Amino acid sequence: MIPVKGFEGKTVAVLGLGRSGLATVTALQAGGADVLVWDDSPNADEKANDIGATLRDLTKQGAFTDVASLITSPGIAHLYPEPHPAIARAMAEGCPVDNDIGLFFQSFATQEWDNFSTMPKVIAVTGSNGKSTTSALIHHILEEAGRPTQLAGNIGRGVLDIEEAHDGEVVVLELSSYQTDLARALTPDVAVFTNLSPDHLDRHAGHGGYFAAKRRLFAEGGPDRAVIGVDEFEGQYIANQMSGGPGDDRVIRVSSGQKLSGAGWNVFARKGFLSETRKGRQVGSIDLRQIAGLPGAHNHQNACAAYAACRALGIGPRVIEQALHSFKGLPHRSQLIAEKNGVRFVNDSKATNVDSAAKALAAFDKVRWICGGLEKEGGLDALLPAPTVVKAYVIGREAGVFAMKLKGLDVEVCGDMATAVAKAAADAQSGETVLLAPAAASFDQYDSFEKRGEDFVMQVSALE
């Protein structure tokens, strides 16, 4: 646990008692703060009693008279489409609002660091797609290289729930736009931007607000090194803003699909090969085609970003290459579940938006595509014509409506996962892939994309 500094003897309020909220309460108490809590759930009083905190309705006038700061959980809206009433009340009464990410960067360094021979570092990863895989891959490479490391944030443990730093340790954080948008402190040593595609637009009042939330990690974080995917203009913009000129190696540009050139530091993948160039010369190369845990161009981009972040820490190319081959991938992200009669079954339930689903489809030939769910803003046109799709099997409460938008494809409305898996498996021929890549949120039928993926795995396991 990271005890929160700066609030000893002060009263701090915590909004939301989920995973991050509970860890925040414990960390604040360890730092000597008196903690108030508020949660909209019916059993909030029971949760407060369990953690030794005082329950206070933070939506009422005067609730923040004696409060030094309000710490809110990332899933709670703080600005758009409208702020939670407790956050609106805090702002009206002049109480600073922060989140656990801000507290982490405020509290991570301690006096004990004066005795370390190698200063701990923080790598923070953000972007629309691939940030979980990239974060986990960086963590895996560090472990394989013998570096002490912890993985936290939007993946794994809450940032305040990790252990205090060790000599030479590297903490890898996956950060969502919800987390970067509000954090009052953002000071990573290495910041990584994977890519940008439309997502969470309601929480950021559109694409520009969404990009602005991601950009804060760089513009306000001031990292020593910035690893930036430049396949979209937004990434090119951040790289330009962070760079002092063509040869500035504080910026490592990353691409999947295009060759990067110039005097700077570049890492790119083309036709399955990763290349690293510096000052116009190639200094590293890896064949990614046979790495089972990283299939497809989108995973090659993840590999490039992870490679670049680890190279920024001085880890050698051959060490990284060896670690890539032992990476097993993450559940629900291009996860090979089974192979039956020459048919592969792949779980990419995390492909909750159009861009991530399109990349998943492009990673395989002859796809029996299971899709559907709670459609996000922007429509499905960007997925089409989907040349690798043999047939689509649509699930979800509005499966019929979703299916009508997949123009030009052979489509069957299935409704539920069991029906979709059974029909896709019955139709599939040897050499084809049954792929769950929903291109939609899960909340119409499941509590999370993980639950949806687990259902897919269960249905595949039940096949004869």
Side-chain angles (χ1 to χ4, degrees), residues 40 54 131 201 251 254 326 403 445:
D40 296 330
T54 302
K131 56 184 180 293
L201 301 187
V251 175
V254 168
S326 61
Q445 291 183 314

Side-chain angles (χ1 to χ4, degrees), residues 171-206:
V171 173
V172 184
L173 302 181
E174 179 197 337
L175 300 182
S176 71
S177 59
Y178 296 177
Q179 293 168 313
T180 58
D181 194 24
L182 187 62
R184 296 171 72 92
L186 285 169
T187 54
D189 298 281
V190 180
V192 180
F193 175 83
T194 58
N195 50 56
L196 195 80
S197 61
D199 207 355
H200 308 304
L201 301 187
D202 58 332
R203 276 290 298 267
H204 300 291

Side-chain angles (χ1 to χ4, degrees), residues 153-378:
N154 204 44
I155 184 174
R157 302 167 72 181
V159 292
L160 296 174
D161 194 38
I162 66 174
E163 302 301 320
E164 294 186 76
H166 303 292
D167 192 349
E169 184 175 49
V170 181
V171 173
V172 184
L173 302 181
E174 179 197 337
L175 300 182
S176 71
S177 59
Y178 296 177
Q179 293 168 313
T180 58
D181 194 24
L182 187 62
R184 296 171 72 92
L186 285 169
T187 54
D189 298 281
V190 180
V192 180
F193 175 83
T194 58
N195 50 56
L196 195 80
S197 61
D199 207 355
H200 308 304
L201 301 187
D202 58 332
R203 276 290 298 267
H204 300 291
H207 195 69
Y210 177 52
F211 172 56
K214 300 288 189 185
R215 180 176 173 268
R216 287 193 76 241
L217 184 63
F218 301 85
E220 300 186 30
D224 296 331
R225 280 256 161 71
V227 175
I228 302 173
V230 294
D231 288 333
E232 295 87 28
F233 187 76
E234 290 88 351
Q236 297 170 32
Y237 175 80
I238 295 176
N240 183 271
Q241 290 278 296
M242 297 297 294
S243 174
D248 188 349
D249 66 2
R250 293 174 300 177
V251 175
I252 307 177
R253 291 171 171 83
V254 168
S255 174
S256 175
Q258 61 174 314
K259 180 179 180 179
L260 301 178
S261 59
W265 196 346
N266 304 305
V267 178
F268 58 91
R270 289 188 70 209
K271 299 180 179 179
F273 287 87
L274 179 152
S275 296
E276 176 190 5
T277 64
R278 298 185 73 173
K279 298 180 180 179
R281 297 178 57 189
Q282 181 168 303
V283 296
S285 178
I286 298 175
D287 184 351
L288 300 173
R289 295 172 299 176
Q290 302 305 315
I291 299 178
L294 296 166
H298 61 306
N299 274 311
H300 292 175
Q301 183 185 57
N302 299 334
C304 288
Y307 176 99
C310 292
R311 290 290 289 134
L313 297 181
I315 299 174
R318 297 286 75 83
V319 174
I320 298 174
E321 180 176 10
Q322 185 175 358
L324 293 180
H325 280 279
S326 61
F327 182 65
K328 301 300 183 184
L330 290 177
H332 316 297
R333 298 161 176 88
S334 296
Q335 179 189 18
L336 179 62
I337 299 302
E339 187 166 342
K340 300 174 184 286
N341 301 318
V343 178
R344 291 180 295 180
F345 293 82
V346 176
N347 169 22
D348 203 337
S349 184
K350 184 60 172 67
T352 59
N353 59 45
V354 166
D355 185 66
S356 57
K359 290 175 179 176
L361 290 172
F364 304 98
D365 296 322
K366 299 180 180 178
V367 174
R368 301 279 174 176
W369 178 30
I370 299 176
C371 58
L374 192 62
E375 187 180 344
K376 295 186 176 181
E377 291 185 39

Side-chain angles (χ1 to χ4, degrees), residues 1-2 18-28 100 158-161:
M1 179 187 57
I2 307 293
R19 184 192 66 165
S20 66
L22 292 173
T24 299
V25 170
T26 302
L28 283 164
D100 60 339
V159 292
L160 296 174
D161 194 38

